[in-house]
Amino acid sequence: MSDTTDTGPVLAADGTPLKRSLRRALRAQKLRALALIAPLLIFVLVAFIAPIADMLFRSVENQIVGNTIPMTVEELRDWDGQDVPDEQVFRAMYFDLFLASEAKEHTKLGSRLNYEESGVSSLFRTTGRDVDDMGEVFQEAFEEISPEFEEAQFWYDTMSGGAGAEGNERLMSNQIGRLEQLEASNFSGDAGFVPGAAISDILPNTARAYAAFAAFTHFVDEDVVAEEEPWEAVYAALALDLEDPGTAAALAAYDGPGAELLRQAAAADLPPVEMKAAFIESNKDWNRIEYWEVIHTYSPPYTTGYFLNAVDMEKTTEGIALRSEDERIYGILFKRTMFMSLVITFSCIALGYPIAWILANLPARTANLLMILVLLPFWTSLLVRTSAWKVMLQQQGVINDTLVWLGLVADESRLVMINNQFGTIVAMTHILLPFMILPMYSVMQTIPPSYLRAAKSLGATNWTAFWRVYFPQSVPGIGAGSILVFILAIGYYITPEIVGGTTGTFISNRIAYHISSSLNWGLAAALGSILLAVVLILYWAYDKIVGIDNVKLGG
Amino acid sequence: MKLTKTLLATTALTVAAGASATAQDMADSMTLVSWGGAYQDSQQKAYVEPYLEMNPGVTATWDESSAEAVAKLRAMNEAGNVTWDLVDVVASDAMRLCDEGLAMELDHDEVLAAAPDGTSASDDFGDLIVSDCFVPQIVYSTTFGYRTDMVPEGVEPPSSVCDVFDLETYPGKRSLQKRPIDNMEWALYCDGVAKDEIYDVLGTDEGVDRALAKLDTIKDQVVWWSAGAETPQLLADGEVFMGSTFNGRLFSAIAEQDQPIGMMWDMQSFDLDGWIVPAGLPEDRLARVMDFLKFATDTQRLADQAAYISYGPARDSSAPLVGKHAELGIDMAPHMPTDPANATNVHIYDYEWWADNRDDLDAKFQAWLAR
């Protein structure tokens, strides 16, 4: 007995310990199994999970503000929200907006913020057109001082500090990184320009503006930096730097390329940099505090704003508040979607149960024929079925005509059965009925008819036999059908759109509107997330109450 | 993709100037996006077929997705795979696409043909170029039609847009588009606001309430539509007495299907439809599409289109060339929204204003509808 314990672990035939050998064999098996399902798994991940996750992510994502106007966001961080921001913020906005309008990204930001406050869209659009002119005064002033300021090569030499000068790599890579965020792409390699360390100390704004220009020229325009005359914004930045009295002193000690001309410019009389005035002249709405509040509120990279919108709330300066009553709509729609989906589910149960019962109890041949009738709608286009209901239910439609002909309804008071909740419920009950009948039928088929006979032979009435014996066994079918119908119903879009009028539309119609018309995908994603969460909660509740094990889609 | 945006724009200009383009540099297929139906047919006959005849070996495929063009283009752009070459959209969508950077900015004088008398393209199109990305094709209008046989006895047929709001004289259902645009303006106009003050009034909360209050007076008699085919169908079925829709739809119900429907041109709302070129097309496809665009929007082609559908050509120089309907042989000019007799009282739609206020007003309008 002690022999085995002395010889150590059990060995396999090839001498490796049995445990390890077994594990290896199992792992190989698992990998094989995984390899078999891998195509499906990858397909589901790529084509289903990833897009949904991406879409849901949009409901909180808000990087566009920080990416498009980063300096303004930075300047606004400590803004108290009492008055329209000062010149400092407008200057940051000018340089941000200039680059953004070169990259044609400013209007995107305008549309984004317009969802929160009407008017921001044209604010950015009109001023984006004017930023060139705002800088042009400075460009002209400098060119008056010396025509050399028009020379691309002069600027390149001045800003790079001449050959062999120490470079400010950090500034350059910051600007490239910023441009990457703005353009949402990756730039590799260097821009063929690095601002000189000395000159960027003396002229920080100019160096930054020129570096942004250089990065854009090289990576986006794909031109040579040294051959392009800089943007108007660079001249404005230089004017701004020269306004600082310290700059002239620093320039006096500077001996890099262009130093002489810069000293000359510092001594000259330049137009003052008044960006606030220029912005307000371009569009007087820059003077409206509401717009700045919106920019300020929505500057963080992630926002709860879309979710708040989706539940009829909004961010204000005083915190989160309900929207004014004439703008509340999503609460009504969510409630209506839930209520109508429930009504549709119950109508489907009421109509589907007897049909499924008949199907399950008829001889196979007749049952199959009836089954085809149940399945027939599946093979007809959804649009056709919905439009057919229109023909049936409208005021000059088949049902009303028949009722008038029978004299049950007066010609002047034809029934309104479409473009309202009733129309949606009727059409959707019809369309979703097969999803209720099929699971019920497959469950009922497995209930042996002998149980009912046994109950009756023991003295039960027809009703007792049905209610105490048959019905409890058919509940899993009802459960499965209800889940199917309910979940399909709350996401339904096309039928409510066509027959729902104004009182019979669902939340999905609003989601579709925001996806395809208003392009407010963030809000659409938030509404979709809420809908998904509601379904999951209901599913969970169903599992707790009825138990998901009791749901059967088939025998 | 955006990386090459500017580069491509530059290329487009050179290509259009004819400096470097030869047939070999151009792709031999195009995907055109339009609305389907009679409108797309008119484009097919007026310029796609002639173009393909002139350029054997080139194929054109239609995609009937204009209604969802903005969303689909955005999705394509994000996926980095734009499969469309030329997209037909309404002007407000063109502005949206331009703002989003999804459509290419064009220099109209460079890329489009001048009028036969030498007028530059930008002068010939005039104010209709509402966005740098937009090449207008047609002027259409949203206006009202009514059932001639449902006019109460002893009453003049409706002739003013305000008759839509007059339930006493003209009882019966109306169909209106399920959106605030146009409806709000008509409501204010009929509530006594002067035409040139409509947008000033609508810009205030009281103005919005006032417009909605006016619409409230007919709310329970309104069937709201979302597809252009609905009103003609509702009129044909006798479901509604009067309803708004695109004038071309009413023309085909009246002239082609002989329905008992009358036109009301009063306060018709002008709108534009035209092409945009998606941003970021590869060079060969861009060259092809620019070549086609220049041809398809010249004076004669736009005039030809009017033989198939009753929408006014967007070029001034095309108007005198408008002839007869290709099949019915009737004179088309009197059926154009731009015909002087029809355009005595028109509503000029303010694109910029709606671009700013659309989201806000839509929320209010939808909340009002749901109440």
Side-chain angles (χ1 to χ4, degrees), chain A residues 537-548 550:
Chain A
I537 289 169
L538 286 173
Y539 185 82
W540 174 82
Y542 185 88
D543 185 32
K544 285 281 154 202
I545 299 164
V546 182
I548 216 68
N550 286 329

Side-chain angles (χ1 to χ4, degrees), chain A residues 108-361:
Chain A
K108 247 188 229 184
L109 176 64
S111 327
R112 159 68 187 97
L113 292 175
N114 203 67
Y115 296 134
E116 316 299 340
E117 183 78 37
S118 288
V120 189
S121 169
S122 68
L123 193 64
F124 277 88
R125 202 181 310 119
T126 52
T127 307
R129 270 186 225 128
D130 290 343
V131 282
D132 286 357
D133 297 343
M134 293 180 195
E136 220 165 59
V137 269
F138 304 105
Q139 188 179 10
E140 279 160 12
F142 280 109
E143 284 168 9
E144 196 124 307
I145 293 167
S146 162
E148 272 213 63
F149 278 107
E150 279 176 71
E151 301 292 326
Q153 190 66 45
F154 161 77
W155 274 100
Y156 183 83
D157 292 341
T158 307
M159 296 321 294
S160 60
E166 192 194 336
N168 188 347
E169 295 280 355
R170 219 174 111 233
L171 176 62
M172 194 61 210
S173 65
N174 276 349
Q175 290 305 316
I176 295 175
R178 187 189 160 185
L179 194 62
E180 282 179 336
Q181 286 184 333
L182 187 63
E183 294 267 334
S185 39
N186 283 314
F187 303 129
S188 53
D190 85 308
F193 167 80
V194 176
I199 194 79
S200 51
D201 276 345
I202 302 170
L203 305 171
N205 288 307
T206 319
R208 197 199 53 239
Y210 193 82
F213 155 77
F216 191 88
T217 307
H218 179 82
F219 290 113
V220 183
D221 285 350
E222 298 181 356
D223 286 324
V224 179
V225 182
E227 291 172 6
E228 298 295 316
E229 197 188 347
W231 291 334
E232 291 85 347
V234 178
Y235 294 92
L238 181 56
L240 186 61
D241 280 331
L242 294 179
E243 268 189 3
D244 185 350
T247 310
L251 276 175
Y254 181 63
D255 61 353
E260 186 49 44
L261 265 182
L262 288 174
R263 276 192 285 272
Q264 204 179 322
D269 198 16
L270 289 167
V273 183
E274 282 167 347
M275 287 304 169
K276 185 170 179 175
F279 267 68
I280 291 169
E281 194 193 329
S282 159
N283 190 326
K284 60 180 180 353
D285 285 346
W286 286 107
N287 214 4
R288 278 184 56 184
I289 197 157
E290 293 94 326
Y291 292 150
W292 287 102
E293 276 166 3
V294 162
I295 296 172
H296 181 64
T297 313
Y298 286 92
S299 46
Y302 297 98
T303 179
T304 53
Y306 291 124
F307 274 102
L308 290 176
N309 270 352
V311 291
D312 291 332
M313 292 164 114
E314 63 186 339
K315 285 183 172 191
T316 63
T317 34
E318 284 95 50
I320 292 159
L322 263 180
R323 277 180 180 276
S324 64
E325 200 163 344
D326 61 348
E327 287 181 354
R328 284 182 219 160
I329 176 166
Y330 300 114
I332 303 174
L333 284 178
F334 272 118
K335 272 184 241 157
R336 182 193 288 166
T337 305
M338 291 300 136
F339 168 74
M340 287 178 64
S341 300
L342 280 177
V343 172
I344 289 161
T345 309
F346 283 114
S347 323
C348 280
I349 296 174
L351 291 175
Y353 198 89
I355 299 175
W357 188 83
I358 292 172
L359 280 174
N361 288 287

